Every structure is written in C-alpha cells, then in structure tokens.
Amino acid sequence: MRSSTRVVVIGGGVVGCSVLYHLTKRGWTDVMLIERAELTAGSTWHAAGGFHTLNGDPNVAKLQQYTVELYKEIEAISGQSCGLHLTGGVMLAGTRERMEWLKMAHARGRYLGMHTEIISAAEAKRLMPLIDEAKFVGAMYDPFEGHLDPYGTTHAYAKSAKINGAEIVLRNRVIDTRQRADGTWDVITEQGTVHAEHVVNAGGLWARECGRMIGLELPILAMEHMYLLTEDMPEVAEINAATGKEVITALDFEGEIYTRQERGGMLLGTYEKACKPWSETTTPWDFGQNLLEPDLDRIAPSLEVGFEHFPAYARAGIRRIINGPFTFAPDGNPLVGPIRGVRNYWVACGVMAGFSQGGGVGLALSNWIVDGDPGFDVFGMDVARYGDWTTLGHTNAKVRENYSRRFRIRFPNEELPAARPFRTTPVYDRLVGMNAVMGDLCGLEHALWFAPSPEEAKDDFSFRRSNDFAYVGAECRAVREAVGLLEISNFAKYEVTGAGAEAFLDRLLPNRLPATGRMVLTPMLNPAGRLIGDFTVGRLSDERFVIFGSSLAEAYHMRWFLAAAPAGVTVRSLGLGLTGFQIAGPKSRELMTRIAARDVSAAGFRFMDVAEFDLGTLPALVGRVTYTGDLGYELWVKPEHQRALLDLLVANGADLGLRPFGARALNSLRLEKSFGSWSREYRPIYTPWEARLERFVSTQKTGYIGRDALLAARDKGPERLLNTFVVDALDADVIGDEPIWRDGTVIGWVTSGGYAHASGVSVALGYVEAGASDPSAAYEIEIIGERRPARLLSEPLFDPKGSGMRM
Ligand SMILES: Cc1cc2nc3c(=O)[nH]c(=O)nc-3n(C[C@H](O)[C@H](O)[C@H](O)COP(=O)(O)OP(=O)(O)OC[C@H]3O[C@@H](n4cnc5c(N)ncnc54)[C@H](O)[C@@H]3O)c2cc1C
C-alpha cells in the first residue's frame, strides 16, 4: 500500500470506483481507493441494476444520460462486461395528472437532447405485453433505459482506474481521517497510515460514520428496499420468442413498482408507503454482504396493484425476495462536493441510483477536485444545499417521506408535510393567525399566501391555476396600489467585518463596492466567469458590510466565502439572528414616515440607502430596496423585536391599506419586473452577459475572481440570452423547464414564470439562443404538452424605467 498519495477515496462501491476512474481520466493517476471488505460490499452488490435518464432536475438528468453513455467506454478500457441490457422502457400513467406530468418530463427532455416519446396505453401494451392496458391512460417511452450487472459495472470502473495507474486496497477499513496543520490528511487504516492531499468520502452505507470521523453529520439515512424475482414465466418466454428481444423495463407509478426481465422471469421492486429505515443512528461495521429479512406484508399493497396491472405476475411463483439497505438524502438526490470550512475533504454519498447517477457523480467530483469547479451545474446534488440546520431526526422524517413518495407526483404548489414546522420565526403564529398558508424553505416556515378564512387556508394541489389564484392576485394589487407587508426572515444574510473586509469583497465581487450608507446589487462569479451568486451588498462603515442573498444557497455561499476569506476578515451568516419584513408599494413611505426615527423623505433616505435607526422603539437596520420593484424598504431587527415590529407596522399601516402578502405574490411581482432569482435565472451555467446582469459587473474594475473569463465571454458574445415572455396561457402557467419553440424548433427553455396578477397576463422568463431573441418573432411555450403562443418583451411589464422604486 502506498504511504502517500494525492487522493484517498474511501469506499469501493459503484460511486467510489467511478470517482477513482474519473480522477485517473483527468490525469490524476497517483490516487488510491481503500475498501473495508471487497468491492461492492455495501449496497452495490445486491442492487437491481436498473438505470434511466429521467430526473426532476434537468441538470441531474443530464448527468444520468452521461452515466448511461459511459458504460461502453469503461467496458472498452477494462475488458470487463457491465452486463448491459439497453432494453428501453415505458413509464406508465394511470391518471390524467400523471400523464400531464409525463408530458412535462417529455417536454423537458427535448432541450436536453433526450429521445423520449409520449405513447398511448395500446402502444405501451405493444411494447410491454405484460400490462393490462385498461389500467393506464398512456405512457412515456424512453429508449435509454435498461439494466446492468452491478458487480461487473463496479469492477469495470475499478479495472479502468487501475489500468490508468490507480491503486485499490481491499479488506482494509479506514479507521480515522485527521487533518494536518497544512491542510493535508492522514488517513488511518487497519493496514497503516496514508498521507493524502485530498480525502473523498464515498462510504455509501457507512458515509455517515466516515463523516463523523471529522465531526460531520451528513443528512443521509439508509432505507430497506425490496425486490422479488419470479420463477420463469411462460408469458416471458412467449414475448422473447415473438420479438426476439428481452421484455422491456416498466415503471408503474400507481403501483409504485418498477419491473424488468431477469433470466426467464421478471424482477419486481417497490417503493412502498410503509417504508422502513435501517440502522437509523449508526451502521454496524460488521454488516457484510448480508441481506435483510424480507417482509412481504410491507409490500403487499403495492403487489396487489402490481398483480392487477401486470396480471401474469399473479400467476408466477416467487423465486427469491431481496431486501437490502441503501442510502438517501432528504430530497433523494446525491450529496456531492467539498465540505464547508474543511479543506480538501469531499463527499460523494447519498447516491440512491448508483447505476443512473454514479458516472455523473464521478465526473463532477473529479472535475471539482482537479479544477476547483465541477464544470457544469450540479447545484441539485451539491452537499451544500443542506446547511447546519439538519438533524438526524429531521433527515429521518424527510427521507421516509421522500421514499414513500418516490413515485408520487409532486405538484408545483405542493408543500410536503413531514418534520414541520421545524424552524419558525417569532411571528409564525401571528402569520398563521392571519390565515397564512405556510411553505417550507430549507426547513424554515414562511408565508406563501393569505386565505380569507382558516378553513380556506390550504392549497388544492394542481399543475393548473388553483384556489390561491384570486387571493394572490389581491395581494399583488395591494402592493402595487397601496402597501404590502412580507416577512423576509428567510433571506440569507451575512456580515463581513474586519480591516481587510473591503479588499476581500472587492476581490470576490465584480461590481464596485458601495460607499458607507449605500447598497449595490452584484453577482458573484467563479473563475470561469459564470454566476455563482447574486447579492445586495450594503456598507455600514469602513470595515462592516452586510450581504443579502438566497437562503437556498446559504451553505453554498458560506463555503465559498470561507474558502476565500483571508485572515483578519470575519464572515458570519446571521441566520435567524436577524429577522425582518419588507414593506412595498406607493404608500410604504407614508408608513415609514409614521414609524421611523429619522428623515425618510425621498431626499433624506434615497433608493439604495442603508442605515441603522429606530422604528418606533425598536433598533433596526433598514435598506431602501425591494424585490417587487416598488418603492419600499427592508426592515431588519433582532428576533426578540420581530413581533413588536409586526404590531407597529400593522397599527400604523391599517388605514393605508396595508395587506400581508406571501412568496407567491412576491414571485408574481418580480416576474413583472423581469427580476431573476437564484437557482432559476441565475445558475453556474450562465454568464452575467447572458443573464442580462451587465449593469452589475464592472469591466473597469480589476483584480476580481472571474474577470478574465468575463471579458473573454463578452468578446465571444453570449450563447443564449435571458428574456421575458408574455404567454397566451389558458388555465395553467409555466412552472419552469418548459421548452421554448420558434419556427418549429426548440430554441430555449423556461427558467421560471407564473401569472403576473397586477398586469393580468401570464409570464415566463427563459433563455433562448442568442441569435433567436427577437421581439417581432412568434414564439411558443409548451405548457402541459400544449404549445401556447408567446411574445418576447423588450422591457419589463411593470415600470420599465424603475421610476416607482426610485421616487
Ligand atoms: C435492494 C436494492 C436495489 C437497488 N436497485 C438499484 C437499481 O436498480 N438501480 C440503481 O441505480 N440503484 C439501485 N440500488 C441502489 C444502489 O445500490 C446504490 O445507489 C449504490 O450501491 C450506492 O453505491 P455507493 O458506492 O455509494 O455505496 P456502497 O455500495 O454502500 O459502497 C460503499 C463502500 O464503502 C466501503 N466503506 C465504507 N466505509 C469504509 C471505511 N471506513 N473504510 C473502507 N471502506 C469503507 C463499504 O465497504 C462499501 O463497499 C439498489 C439498492 C438496493 C439495496
């Protein structure tokens, strides 16, 4: 065993082997993998080996496509068969809603270059003769589905890595990982210590235990999972003989079943509602290549539906039942990337679909280690989408929920109930008392909209406009015509202090920093000149700045800040140590005049001013900015003052028409202003030129991260451009990820949208090929499988000059 190496990968499951292979592919050949037992000895060996490209997140779907395409490559290098069966597969819809969902997935697939087809139930029956087509309303066919041999595939990765120079050490447990003062690692194993620059935790079933070696509690939980193998079935033999092919794979959403041929019979797996976690707090090290006790009762409800939908299965004998554990993150996507504040420690775990995702995970992580950047947009699987706020109990509840809903539709207006409320602000009960329908963002409750009565304070889930429509509309109009009140405690807030704070932020951000008492908007760029953040930065003194951004990316941004901050600069996430409200609308200044202990006239407190002063009796930090595009203010106080601030605003605003509004109205209002939002319009695949943020980057300023690439991108010209469209929608608005058509070709995709209530039109924001952005052209946007006419706007719908917010 080498005593020193560049990278130690802990864990020889399919994921660790893929990471190892990809590192060697990038030219890092002095790397090693250490495996406690044999390769595949975790959850990999007993997997059903199915793979597919479908994923709710298009960026993850792309990586799944990459994974499927990779198998030929590793077979060729290693000479080891992956046992590939690219049979194609059908996803079967039993309800109209599921069919609509499939149509949307199919539409998304268009701009990803996927080859899915929407087909009738009769066509599905022709492709998969074992179904009872009367139970289905239609299906989606995907030629890129199939199954493989988990053992062969893992060994193909491992052999390819070895051929490229990597070392693999078996039967050697990593006992501890300790960081030296210089940031390098001592990896302590049963066979001795290895000194490494980087450590990758690909510990699968034991990833939690490996994380705990450095005091890290990863949000993952293993769940028991069962599939059964039938005896040989005459129906299968008949299909094989008639078609000369294997039976194709099928996914039955209503039965929560996936199925495929295995030898002369069928394999049938379920994601049962009555799911069961395994080893909830610690995974025993002596768990080897063991299986768990099958429990047919648990999957009986799914089997019952399965036997109705696939009648031949009811007649087949069961040859074997496999019950094995594998790990999940709360949202079911992998946890990949560097760990905040811990240099050169990487994770690649929580991968619940190792044979669909393992290749993409290996590619992204190896790029990240070698280049400092994953090379494409992996936010959907970045470990930083979870912050410090997760707990074992929260993860447990959310993973169970996710598992039991694996094949259920999540509607765009559907909030999931498990582990809620988890984090609340001091005004939570007050907002609920105002009939707020609450949503969950990073475990924190926030108001979505306000109903007229407690009985009506719930969403009817739908892909179409729903019961909140009229009330969200009234909230929007109250903001545009009078004054609205929104709780904004769920924004991310940071404080940057110290003698070096200015120089640090100057290097970090492409816009010029504000003068004391002022704010600026600025994106943040990676070295490739792409968007990794968008912020409002306020300066309170020479050495003290506040930054506001998206809470979705709080841990992601803190990781970046901490990695870049030099000694003498302190960066703190203020979290719920700062809570607040936004007041927005033409009457918001009148309200401020009544409560502020200073001159808040147009000249006395200008657009983009920021200052600390009292509101009534309460000490506050106030910024004159809104995300709705109106005259307005963000009011920040410590949590102990938040209730009092609410009282103060309500008491002084009632006669001005003050009305609470929620996140849905905010979304509608910002769409009317063509304001983008993080994780939608702003993601690491876009440049500021493409996102039309050019006025927030300074090309005169020098020395900031990403400047060279930014200038090069300007000279090259944008590949695509963000645009706003008005859509001739019927009863459904865009959600996001719909294709944009022009002249019968897909030329872009929607990033977000909805109904712009104050303007009375349906709006979509989206990127289209740069040469195809033309306000005089005719566009179409596909909503639930139907192409609707759309018009590209050359300016925002509401107040294009921005005079309202500046007045
Ligand atoms: C019943 C069942 C059916 C499944 N079906 C499918 C399917 O059809 N398609 C699909 O894509 N996925 C399927 N999966 C999921 C799939 O198995 C996982 O996605 C995959 O195995 C995850 O691989 P991994 O490398 O992350 O983890 P693991 O396979 O658990 O590998 C982790 C490895 O790390 C080693 N290790 C851990 N800690 C240490 C240490 N301290 N020192 C040294 N070594 C260590 C372990 O011994 C283990 O070999 C199924 C899983 C089950 C249980």
Side-chain angles (χ1 to χ4, degrees), residues 10-16 34-36 38 40-44 46-50 172-174 202-206 210 213 225 227 258 285 322 324-326 351-356:
I10 305 173
V14 65
V15 173
I34 303 180
E35 164 56 45
R36 179 187 67 98
E38 304 296 331
T40 77
S43 53
T44 297
H46 48 53
N172 185 24
R173 181 156 72 87
V174 171
L205 286 178
W206 295 266
C210 294
M213 293 172 191
H225 181 71
Y227 64 83
Y258 60 88
W285 288 110
I322 308 285
F326 65 120
V351 184
M352 60 75 55
F355 301 98
S356 300

Side-chain angles (χ1 to χ4, degrees), residues 104-124:
M104 288 189 265
H106 169 65
R108 251 198 326 262
R110 274 191 226 277
Y111 68 78
L112 295 174
M114 291 182 178
H115 306 283
T116 54
E117 273 174 59
I118 294 295
I119 57 175
S120 66
E123 283 169 298

